[in-house]
Amino acid sequence: MRVGVIGVQGDVSEHVDAVARAMKECGVPGEAFAVRRREELDRVDGLTIPGGESTTISKLLVKLDLFDEIVRRAREEAMPILGTCAGCILLAKDGGVQAKKTGSRLLGLMDMAVDRNAFGRQKESFEADLEVTGLDRPFHGVFIRAPAILRTWGECKPLARHEDKIVLAREGNRIGAAFHPELSNDFRIHRWFLELL
Ligand code: GLN
């Protein structure tokens, strides 16, 4: 199994490590590596898109000729994708006013609307235990200038909330997390993603 981590900006190495750890825990042979070029994207069975700055990641994906190929593989080949924080924003169909303002292109692969920096700048970072549908004990979520999922529709289903906001959703084999599961030293969400592969 080969899992690519979009490696153009953001916390790439943390995701590579988390995927490798999850593979080990599941006893699945495979490799995790950063993807910056088309040849690398062509080799992966699934993709994670890390946290960072969604506008920057979006622009670089277009520039490096990865953007349209990710959309094509997801739509035509049902490639599994895990997007966290900025990656979650990129997976959404609707990025709200802020995404429109910056004119950044979204991959638009999940039926959900997100709001960037939804938890406010004064509290740029916080941690919270989340009740996640399908997990038997809470998941400790690390939120860094996190977006919120405002609503989901169609086949996209909310899996966890913090206060009144959705912070984890799944649509088929795509998962969007507003927080950073790669930073919790708990690999259950990455393992879940591997199961989708
Ligand atoms: N606030 C960032 C954005 O809008 C996301 C932050 C993150 O990925 N930690 O892209």
Side-chain angles (χ1 to χ4, degrees):
M1 181 185 290
R2 288 185 299 259
V3 176
V5 176
I6 288 298
V8 297
Q9 195 258 339
D11 67 336
V12 181
S13 59
E14 289 84 350
H15 259 290
V16 172
D17 290 349
V19 172
R21 278 286 295 273
M23 281 176 174
K24 212 168 159 194
E25 284 182 8
C26 295
V28 178
E31 53 169 330
F33 52 87
V35 168
R36 296 185 191 89
R37 291 179 301 156
R38 241 328 255 282
E39 308 86 85
E40 290 158 345
L41 181 59
D42 292 344
R43 292 176 53 226
V44 307
D45 304 308
L47 205 57
T48 76
I49 308 176
E53 201 57 49
S54 52
T55 44
T56 308
I57 298 176
S58 169
K59 281 192 193 116
L60 289 170
L61 289 180
V62 173
K63 194 171 165 203
L64 298 168
D65 198 24
L66 297 171
F67 193 101
D68 292 332
E69 181 62 5
I70 295 171
V71 174
R72 189 196 69 75
R73 294 238 4 232
R75 294 227 172 98
E76 292 177 14
E77 298 171 17
M79 175 175 65
I81 304 181
L82 166 66
T84 70
C85 208
C88 177
I89 297 168
L90 287 167
L91 283 174
K93 284 215 172 122
D94 180 348
V97 205
Q98 288 205 51
K100 281 198 194 89
K101 239 195 278 175
T102 57
S104 65
R105 277 179 76 191
L106 303 179
L107 296 165
L109 293 168
M110 289 177 71
D111 284 347
M112 59 187 190
V114 296
D115 184 19
R116 294 179 63 196
N117 305 316
F119 293 94
R121 292 195 175 275
Q122 75 284 6
K123 265 168 79 180
E124 291 208 321
S125 185
F126 65 95
E127 301 184 12
D129 284 331
L130 308 168
E131 294 293 338
V132 177
T133 308
L135 295 184
D136 55 354
R137 57 192 160 78
F139 192 94
H140 192 70
V142 177
F143 293 78
I144 303 170
R145 286 191 304 121
I149 299 168
L150 297 181
R151 63 189 180 93
T152 66
W153 61 94
E155 290 306 302
C156 185
K157 306 289 178 211
L159 295 178
R161 290 173 201 270
H162 177 65
E163 295 166 350
D164 58 339
K165 298 182 171 81
I166 303 167
V167 293
L168 182 68
R170 172 177 168 193
E171 178 174 337
N173 59 9
R174 292 163 207 159
I175 303 173
F179 52 97
H180 289 265
E182 71 283 11
L183 298 180
S184 294
N185 206 31
D186 178 342
F187 303 99
R188 286 177 292 161
I189 290 178
H190 283 81
R191 286 174 63 161
W192 205 354
F193 169 64
L194 294 183
E195 280 165 25
L196 301 176
L197 279 157

